[in-house]
Amino acid sequence: MNNRGRIRPEVAERIRKIAQEMGYQPSLAGRALVMAGKKLKIGVILQSSETPFMQQVLQGIQAAKQEVEALGVTVDIHEVEGVNAGAVIALMRKMIEESRR
């Protein structure tokens, strides 16, 4: 599928034909991550995490986390109760410091 030349041309053509018949579509996100060649880490800070609405947002973030972690990305979710600029800034500094290690 990647045309790296490691498979005989007739076998590669047969694989492409089967993939087309099955409706296979390569993951563009996955391909981009592989091409980047380095580990990616995403930090998410969720304020007012105790509210019902933000709990729904958190569920969506957790679902997305599972998807991108399957592609080799690390996702750290940080919850902050209420609106607390100081806590958010402290978390941002912590994430920046961790990224430098």
Side-chain angles (χ1 to χ4, degrees):
M1 301 303 296
N2 295 316
N3 296 319
R4 292 187 180 136
R6 298 182 197 150
I7 298 175
R8 292 192 327 258
E10 58 274 10
V11 173
E13 182 57 36
R14 204 165 63 222
I15 292 170
R16 277 192 288 278
K17 184 178 179 183
I18 292 168
Q20 184 178 11
E21 289 171 1
M22 295 179 70
Y24 170 78
Q25 293 292 321
S27 166
L28 296 178
R31 185 174 287 180
L33 290 171
V34 168
M35 299 300 269
K38 61 180 176 178
K39 296 283 184 179
L40 296 177
K41 186 173 187 177
I42 298 171
V44 178
I45 300 173
L46 188 65
Q47 289 195 90
S48 300
S49 62
E50 72 281 0
T51 66
F53 174 75
M54 293 310 270
Q55 285 297 303
Q56 288 183 329
V57 171
L58 178 60
Q59 288 176 1
I61 293 169
Q62 290 169 334
K65 174 182 176 171
Q66 288 181 328
E67 288 182 36
V68 297
E69 283 187 340
L71 300 171
V73 176
T74 301
V75 179
D76 290 336
I77 302 170
H78 303 276
E79 296 180 51
V80 175
E81 286 191 19
V83 178
N84 184 336
V88 171
I89 291 170
L91 283 168
M92 291 171 70
R93 286 184 176 144
K94 179 183 173 194
M95 287 187 285
I96 291 168
E97 185 60 36
E98 288 174 354
S99 73
R100 292 180 178 160
R101 293 184 209 159

